[in-house]
Amino acid sequence: MAEDFRPGIFDGATVWATLTPDQRVEIGAPALESVVAFKVLCFTGFDDVALASERAVEASIDAAHAEMEACVDAHVYQEQMYDQDGKPLVPSVVGMFCRRCGCSQYGACDGGCDWAEPYLCTACAAQPAEVA
Ligand SMILES: [Zn+2]
Ligand SMILES: [Zn+2]
């Protein structure tokens, strides 16, 4: 079992508020294109016909992600993405997550779990904490 970690949260909205309008366009435009590309990849309207554009759409996801990452690296400070010990923060979009196993509303433990307390799931609460 992983050791308990102190949940550090990355709040995208707070960081977004620090960006200039130009920087927002630089990150926001590829973000929109990436979401649209994912939607196109999930499009099942013509199940028996392979979309000729599929390769281009896949490539556009990679390109959009690379652009967004370059913008984040250029405009978001390291101390906004990592805690004081240099550990990466968890984006707030996931909501609550377990401080021991990392499960969340998007990926529960095998057999299911709930919250025993904030940032500790019932599956982990039922087991003794690992002694350091
Ligand atoms: Zn857990
Ligand atoms: Zn869990």
Side-chain angles (χ1 to χ4, degrees):
M1 184 185 296
E3 66 179 88
D4 280 12
F5 60 99
R6 242 183 109 75
I9 310 297
F10 176 80
D11 180 1
T14 298
V15 174
W16 185 261
T18 69
L19 299 176
T20 67
D22 284 348
Q23 292 167 342
R24 291 178 184 178
V25 169
E26 229 178 297
I27 295 173
L32 288 174
E33 297 199 9
S34 176
V35 170
V36 169
F38 271 115
K39 288 179 104 39
V40 171
L41 275 189
C42 296
F43 179 74
T44 55
F46 305 105
D47 273 341
D48 53 341
V49 179
L51 290 174
S53 59
E54 189 171 316
R55 283 177 60 199
V57 170
E58 286 175 356
S60 71
I61 291 171
D62 292 342
H65 192 269
E67 276 190 33
M68 286 187 283
E69 189 171 358
C71 294
V72 167
D73 288 346
H75 305 304
V76 178
Y77 298 113
Q78 293 294 303
E79 55 268 28
Q80 292 174 303
M81 295 187 275
Y82 301 93
D83 70 13
Q84 292 166 334
D85 299 323
K87 290 182 181 169
L89 302 179
V90 176
S92 65
V93 69
V94 77
M96 186 114 68
F97 57 93
C98 179
R99 66 178 180 255
R100 286 194 196 158
C101 72
C103 72
S104 70
Q105 64 182 323
Y106 299 105
C109 292
D110 290 343
C113 60
D114 204 342
W115 299 117
E117 61 184 69
Y119 297 98
L120 182 65
C121 80
T122 51
C124 290
Q127 309 209 347
E130 194 170 84
V131 179

